Amino acid sequence: AELTVAAGLARGLMELAVSKGASAAALAQRSGIEPADLADQDHRVPFAAYVALMRAAKALTGDEALALHYGETNDLAQISVVGLIGYACETMLDAFAQLNRYGRLVVEFDGPADRFKLAAKAGGHWVVDTREHANDFPELTESTFARMVCGPRRFGVMRLAEAVHVTHPAPTYRSEYERIFQAPVVFGAEWNAVMMDPAWATHRIAQQPRYVFGVLNERADALLKALEASKTTQGRVEALLLPMLHTGQASIATVAARMGVSRQTLYRRLRREGVTFETVLDRLRRRMALDYIRANKVSLNETAYLVGFSDPAAFSRAFKRWTGVTPRSARTAPPAG
């Protein structure tokens, strides 16, 4: 499945590049990321497009250290719910655990489920980035480590890193590493890791009331569930079906063509996940019909049309099969609870 990043991450990078003189239109043209793709910060954009955006931003601004500067200046709480959860954690160690839990909401990566691990080595406590093929895009290492070290300075933790190791070669702007990290940096190392101040785990954060933590976790769990669903064939089919439900063209042939596979291949992939195309379509229609009826913003005939029924009577029969009641009864029933 294609790796993605949160639109908020790409939007923050684009805004930084524009502030440094890059043309927004040129950035969009070179990366393939349009402004509409970034309107919702929880929307996903392809990882490859984000790489193209970073490379274009560096070229158009003339700032080779742009990835470092992005991590240094950008507040994760401004671009993702993951950053907000970090501010609601009690300690740095708590925030570290949440970053591993929800980090893919910010950026998906090639590697194990937990991107970061803790290691004791050479007399220090290290946070290790386990991303594979990191040297293919070292800018992600740069921005991640810079954000990891500079972010806590916003709540008073001024010294965090005691050493920084990266696997990529030293760039021409290595002096920026020293300025930003304020710690010795080793290039061409065996791992990508930051040796932390011994007291880092117990540093308090708690910038938000504790109840906020639960609210944000619920939101992050929902986003994570949606992201994981999008990686399945069923999830991709649903995403393609949604904008075409009302057209009456929601067929397996149409969806297979948009996915670039044959009908037989799509059928087999869905069967491996224990569903059929008809089941996915039926469940999606049911879910959307219930959403429209609960919202009470469109008529029942319009609801039938929006979920792909040209005949209101056929929609009514389907709805009764789904729920045991007619659409009209569902609309007039008192709210649950």
Side-chain angles (χ1 to χ4, degrees), residues 46 62 115 120 160 297:
R115 179 177 172 184
L160 197 64
K297 291 184 178 180

Side-chain angles (χ1 to χ4, degrees), residues 154-173:
R154 295 185 176 89
F155 47 86
V157 182
M158 303 310 296
R159 178 173 174 77
L160 197 64
E162 295 198 330
V164 177
H165 287 194
V166 293
T167 56
H168 55 267
T172 57
Y173 50 88

Side-chain angles (χ1 to χ4, degrees), residues 226-276:
L227 178 60
E228 290 168 350
S230 73
K231 302 303 175 183
T232 65
T233 299
Q234 180 178 346
R236 295 183 64 195
V237 168
E238 283 193 358
L240 289 170
L241 281 173
L242 194 56
M244 68 172 77
L245 277 183
H246 71 282
T247 68
Q249 304 300 314
S251 68
I252 188 171
T254 302
V255 172
R258 296 197 179 186
M259 293 177 67
V261 299
S262 68
R263 291 178 56 181
Q264 292 76 12
T265 297
L266 178 55
Y267 174 82
R268 287 195 298 271
R269 290 180 181 176
L270 288 171
R271 289 297 294 176
R272 283 198 294 268
E273 294 180 5
V275 295
T276 65

Side-chain angles (χ1 to χ4, degrees), residues 57-258:
K58 290 170 67 172
L60 292 171
T61 62
D63 182 1
E64 283 297 306
L66 186 68
L68 281 175
H69 297 151
Y70 185 34
E72 177 189 20
T73 60
N74 180 260
D75 185 351
L76 187 61
Q78 297 298 318
I79 61 175
S80 172
V81 67
V82 180
L84 292 170
I85 289 174
Y87 279 167
C89 289
E90 291 291 333
T91 66
M92 292 283 291
L93 186 61
D94 294 335
F96 174 83
Q98 298 306 315
L99 178 62
N100 260 343
R101 180 179 179 183
Y102 296 119
R104 290 179 186 268
L105 293 180
V106 183
V107 55
E108 291 185 287
F109 58 93
D110 51 344
D114 287 349
R115 179 177 172 184
F116 302 101
K117 67 178 183 179
L118 301 177
K121 184 177 179 180
H125 300 279
W126 298 79
V127 172
V128 185
D129 187 346
T130 64
R131 185 167 62 101
E132 299 173 2
H133 311 295
N135 285 8
D136 291 347
F137 187 43
E139 291 91 341
L140 183 56
T141 303
E142 292 179 331
S143 60
T144 299
F145 281 2
R147 188 176 289 112
M148 184 183 297
V149 171
C150 297
R153 293 172 185 167
R154 295 185 176 89
F155 47 86
V157 182
M158 303 310 296
R159 178 173 174 77
L160 197 64
E162 295 198 330
V164 177
H165 287 194
V166 293
T167 56
H168 55 267
T172 57
Y173 50 88
R174 64 182 301 162
S175 61
E176 280 299 272
Y177 275 79
E178 297 165 0
R179 180 188 67 80
I180 290 171
F181 293 115
Q182 299 177 18
V185 180
V186 175
F187 297 94
E190 63 177 341
W191 61 0
N192 291 299
V194 178
M195 186 167 75
M196 312 297 276
D197 174 83
W200 79 274
T202 57
H203 281 304
R204 288 187 56 77
I205 304 176
Q207 300 291 297
Q208 299 285 350
R210 186 61 185 174
Y211 81 89
V212 172
F213 182 85
V215 174
L216 295 173
N217 271 76
E218 287 183 10
R219 172 62 174 163
D221 283 335
L223 290 172
L224 196 59
K225 183 178 180 181
L227 178 60
E228 290 168 350
S230 73
K231 302 303 175 183
T232 65
T233 299
Q234 180 178 346
R236 295 183 64 195
V237 168
E238 283 193 358
L240 289 170
L241 281 173
L242 194 56
M244 68 172 77
L245 277 183
H246 71 282
T247 68
Q249 304 300 314
S251 68
I252 188 171
T254 302
V255 172
R258 296 197 179 186

